[in-house]
Amino acid sequence: MKIINIGLVGFGTVGSGVVKVLQKKKKGLEQKTNCEFKIKAIADKDINSPRCVKVSKEILTNDVDKILNDPEIDVLIELIGGIHPAKEFIIKALRNKKDVITANKALLAEEGEELFRIAAENKREILFEAAVCGGIPIIKVLKQGLLANKIDSLLGIVNGTANYVLSKMEENNWEFEKALAQARKEGIAEADAALDTRGIDSRHKIAILAQLIFDADIKLEDIFCQGIEDIRLEDLRYAREFGYTIKLLAIAKSFKENTAGVYVYPALISEECLLSRVKGAFNALSLKGDMAGELFFYGKGAGMLPTASAIVADLGEIAMSTVHSPQSTVSKTKLEIKKIEELEKSYYIRFLAVDQPGVLAAIAKILGEQRVSIASVIQKERKEKEIVPIVMMTHYAKEKDIQRALREIDKLPIVKERLAVRIEE
Ligand code: HSE
């Protein structure tokens, strides 16, 4: 039986999970792949703290070079996260003819082009199933399962923390801060939770997915990104009155040939849509392929075992592939990016305005002047003395017109606060 020697860098939660799964599933993995997966070395800054798995002390080291320079090690599993020194470790491993498995979404989204070029030059693989949506094998679905498809659209809930926060606000009537504090306690949030709530983590993940979907290089700056920090508890309540819920969505859409849009923003989605039923820290992806039709994937996007499951699947891919993929001779698609300003959307808009005659008329006048047509409007009970929430749903309108109208409305002294959220059909 072939032996695949592994060097693991990063012995935290996910690293321990990988060891655990390899130990627990040893026999089944050998049967299925005809390979033995042997962890030859584990590098971490801290090799003394107790872990949930037992490993021989001899394989633990503080020195990553022991892994990177060991010619017997076939695969580097990089689980330290962040850009540096993870990038340098991966490059060195590729140049030393090791395949690489990584869960490092930020690194792939920001520096992927260079890393994949170096991998191809060295005829090695970089596999990254664990970087997006943890236990959902969406990377293999896009690379292999949907090979025959042009993906018309992908709508995803790819950040568990943001979904957890919105779900808890809705279910428990918690304010944003309380829900986020709880997400932190549950250990799903990034060390810097702003990455979750501002949509940055979702942007990294959709960048990785979109590159596979469109077979093109997607720059992070081409991806419009808006987070959930301005969503209030009342917005979730009002949305529900209209039959909607609010989710942070990562979106990749094909338009006409070689034109695509990639966006991250909170959106109202109908309560009848499957994505609206995704609660808590779960992830989900709704896809439409031109051959396979509509598909829906649901599962845990983070956590020790779901993430380890994805990493072990990548080990399986290495074990079962007989040749390394040769460098593609077909150049990448030149993709035209459809900017958010070019979209047409309907909107949910919530104002907090001074409760006096003519307020509604002043807002409606500006919307009308910018060709934004109101589909429905409700004025809620006074919030504080003199301040009243006004909630509107618009018909489809050009994004540019909406934004221009909102800028004008923001100048009205009677408008004290305003939130606008796209409605995703
Ligand atoms: N902070 C991330 C999330 C972890 O909440 O989805 C998984 O990538």
Side-chain angles (χ1 to χ4, degrees):
M1 193 184 297
K2 187 178 161 194
I3 296 176
I4 294 188
N5 284 310
I6 299 162
L8 180 63
V9 179
F11 197 23
T13 307
V14 177
S16 306
V18 172
V19 175
K20 193 172 192 161
V21 173
L22 288 178
Q23 288 174 350
K24 196 171 170 189
K25 303 285 176 167
K26 183 173 164 53
K27 204 161 157 236
L29 288 168
E30 287 176 3
Q31 269 170 1
K32 285 179 189 164
T33 64
N34 202 24
C35 278
E36 182 188 338
F37 298 106
K38 192 171 161 201
I39 300 192
K40 190 154 185 268
I42 300 177
D44 198 285
K45 277 187 198 149
D46 167 16
I47 53 173
N48 297 316
S49 299
R51 308 297 205 279
C52 65
V53 283
K54 279 207 180 106
V55 291
S56 141
K57 273 215 164 92
E58 285 90 77
I59 68 167
L60 292 172
T61 177
N62 295 124
D63 183 4
V64 181
D65 274 330
K66 282 210 175 120
I67 290 176
L68 303 178
N69 292 330
D70 182 345
E72 284 183 5
I73 288 185
D74 305 294
V75 182
L76 166 77
I77 301 180
E78 180 275 308
L79 297 175
I80 56 171
I83 308 295
H84 304 289
K87 181 181 173 187
E88 290 71 25
F89 293 165
I90 289 178
I91 291 175
K92 192 162 180 185
L94 293 169
R95 293 203 166 122
N96 288 346
K97 306 294 176 208
K98 300 178 197 323
D99 291 313
V100 171
I101 295 173
T102 178
N104 197 329
K105 50 213 167 167
L107 177 62
L108 293 178
E110 287 177 27
E111 309 280 343
E113 210 180 323
E114 183 185 350
L115 293 176
F116 286 106
R117 182 179 47 73
I118 296 171
E121 283 164 9
N122 289 279
K123 298 196 168 40
R124 294 295 110 186
E125 298 278 3
I126 301 176
L127 298 177
F128 49 93
E129 187 62 73
V132 183
C133 296
I136 306 175
I138 188 63
I139 303 297
K140 293 195 196 342
V141 165
L142 291 174
K143 278 192 348 193
Q144 295 152 21
L146 295 176
L147 190 64
N149 288 258
K150 170 178 166 284
I151 306 296
D152 295 326
S153 66
L154 178 151
L155 264 74
I157 295 172
V158 298
N159 182 272
T161 303
N163 203 56
Y164 180 95
V165 167
L166 292 172
S167 301
K168 292 293 163 197
M169 287 169 75
E170 197 171 31
E171 287 163 12
N172 299 354
N173 283 340
W174 287 355
E175 287 296 347
F176 176 88
E177 288 73 21
K178 183 167 179 191
L180 182 57
Q182 189 59 30
R184 280 207 182 94
K185 269 193 208 151
E186 307 246 342
I188 45 171
E190 299 295 311
D192 174 7
L195 294 175
D196 299 298
T197 56
R198 290 195 189 146
I200 300 163
D201 178 73
S202 296
R203 177 151 81 156
H204 288 147
K205 290 169 178 165
I206 196 69
I208 294 170
L209 295 176
Q211 314 226 15
L212 291 175
I213 290 174
F214 303 122
D215 194 25
D217 290 323
I218 310 275
K219 306 245 173 304
L220 279 177
E221 53 269 29
D222 287 333
I223 305 176
F224 173 83
C225 181
Q226 185 187 338
I228 59 164
E229 284 156 321
D230 296 332
I231 311 272
R232 284 174 177 251
L233 184 51
E234 297 89 88
D235 296 311
L236 288 151
R237 284 203 205 118
Y238 301 152
R240 186 181 280 176
E241 286 179 31
F242 287 103
Y244 291 89
T245 185
I246 302 179
K247 296 286 181 193
L248 180 63
L249 295 184
I251 298 170
K253 258 191 192 148
S254 274
F255 294 97
K256 64 179 183 351
E257 196 157 348
N258 290 345
T259 305
V262 192
Y263 318 101
V264 172
Y265 51 73
L268 266 72
I269 53 173
S270 160
E271 279 172 349
E272 280 164 24
C273 158
L274 277 178
L275 281 172
S276 78
R277 310 206 188 141
V278 177
K279 305 284 183 194
F282 277 87
N283 284 189
L285 298 141
S286 176
L287 272 88
K288 195 160 171 230
D290 63 347
M291 299 291 118
E294 300 206 2
L295 298 149
F296 191 81
F297 301 88
Y298 170 86
K300 287 192 177 143
M304 180 169 82
L305 295 179
T307 312
S309 158
I311 288 163
V312 172
D314 281 345
L315 281 171
E317 191 175 331
I318 290 171
M320 290 186 279
S321 66
T322 46
V323 283
H324 283 89
S325 33
Q327 193 170 358
S328 172
T329 48
V330 184
S331 55
K332 295 226 164 163
T333 309
K334 272 228 164 327
L335 204 63
E336 199 178 305
I337 296 289
K338 191 157 172 135
K339 296 219 169 82
I340 194 101
E341 297 81 25
E342 295 165 48
L343 297 183
E344 281 196 33
K345 291 264 159 221
S346 41
Y347 260 86
Y348 159 96
I349 314 175
R350 188 253 307 148
F351 303 98
L352 289 184
V354 179
D355 194 6
Q356 67 184 40
V359 170
L360 202 51
I363 292 172
K365 180 169 177 278
I366 294 177
L367 288 169
E369 281 166 359
Q370 299 301 335
R371 294 166 295 278
V372 180
S373 160
I374 299 165
S376 52
V377 55
I378 38 175
Q379 182 172 322
K380 309 301 292 185
E381 67 286 359
R382 279 188 181 190
K383 197 174 155 59
E384 300 149 30
K385 211 167 161 257
E386 307 297 323
I387 300 292
V388 67
I390 300 167
V391 180
M392 286 179 179
M393 307 287 265
T394 75
H395 286 297
Y396 268 108
K398 292 207 168 99
E399 184 85 24
K400 273 185 202 153
D401 292 339
I402 291 262
Q403 295 307 338
R404 207 175 294 129
L406 292 174
R407 279 197 298 275
E408 286 304 307
I409 292 170
D410 288 345
K411 288 183 201 155
L412 296 175
I414 45 165
V415 172
K416 300 298 173 199
E417 189 183 306
R418 184 270 297 166
L419 174 81
V421 182
R422 294 170 187 85
I423 302 172
E424 201 61 36
E425 301 301 344

